[in-house]
Amino acid sequence: MTFQELKPKVSAITLDQKLSKDEKLLAVCQLLNKNIEYYNWVGFYFANHDTQTLHLGPYIGAETDHTVIPFGKGICGQVAVSNNNFVVPDVAAQDNYIACSFTVKSEIVVPLFVNGKNIGQIDIDSHVIDPFTEADERFLEFVNEEIAKLY
C-alpha cells in the first residue's frame, strides 16, 4: 500500500471515537507495520521534560528493554534534543546507537509536536539497510500531525 493510500486510513484511526488514545496509537503502529514491508518495529516514545527522559508508548514489533531513554542517548534521545528527524541508513555506522536487536539494520525517528513542543516521537526500525527516503519522512510527519490532534 502506498503512503497516499495509507494517509486516509491513519486519519480514520485518529478520528475513531470508539478507541482510546492508546488504542489509536497502537492501531496506527499496526497499520504501518502491516502495510509497509520494511517497517519491522513501529512505536511511539513520549517525553517527560521534567526528568529529561523518553517513555515507551504503544508499539508493534519485537519486545524492547528500552522503555525509558535519557534525552541525548541513542537515536530517539538525540531527536528529543534536536527536534529534527533522524534517518539512520546503517545503525552499525552510528556511535550513539542503542542496539535493540541484531536484526535492526536501519532506523528513522520523527518528532511529534503539539503546539510547537516536542512531546515525543515515532520510531521505526527496519531489518533492511538504507530503506528510508524523503517520502518516508514526509509520510511520518503527516502521521505525527494526525496524532498531535489527539493531544
Side-chain angles (χ1 to χ4, degrees), residues 9-57:
K9 295 181 183 307
V10 169
S11 298
I13 289 168
T14 62
L15 293 170
D16 188 337
Q17 307 245 335
K18 292 178 254 138
L19 299 177
S20 71
K21 189 187 308 177
D22 278 356
E23 289 170 332
K24 290 175 185 184
L25 293 169
L26 184 61
V28 168
C29 292
Q30 290 168 326
L31 177 73
L32 303 187
N33 176 255
K34 181 180 174 193
N35 290 287
I36 304 172
E37 186 179 337
Y38 53 94
Y39 284 19
N40 302 116
W41 191 98
V42 180
F44 289 93
Y45 281 92
F46 291 95
N48 180 324
H49 291 278
D50 294 334
T51 61
Q52 298 283 285
T53 52
L54 293 165
H55 298 264
L56 182 62

Side-chain angles (χ1 to χ4, degrees), residues 42-94:
V42 180
F44 289 93
Y45 281 92
F46 291 95
N48 180 324
H49 291 278
D50 294 334
T51 61
Q52 298 283 285
T53 52
L54 293 165
H55 298 264
L56 182 62
Y59 73 94
I60 291 292
E63 280 199 37
T64 179
D65 292 335
H66 305 117
T67 57
V68 179
I69 299 173
F71 282 15
K73 186 156 174 58
I75 307 310
C76 291
Q78 290 176 74
V79 169
V81 173
S82 74
N83 295 323
N84 295 315
N85 297 351
F86 199 158
V87 178
V88 182
D90 181 358
V91 297
Q94 276 296 314

Side-chain angles (χ1 to χ4, degrees), residues 111-127:
L112 171 60
F113 295 99
V114 174
N115 299 321
K117 184 176 183 179
N118 182 348
I119 68 153
Q121 53 203 225
I122 189 168
D123 177 19
I124 298 174
D125 293 342
S126 180
H127 298 163

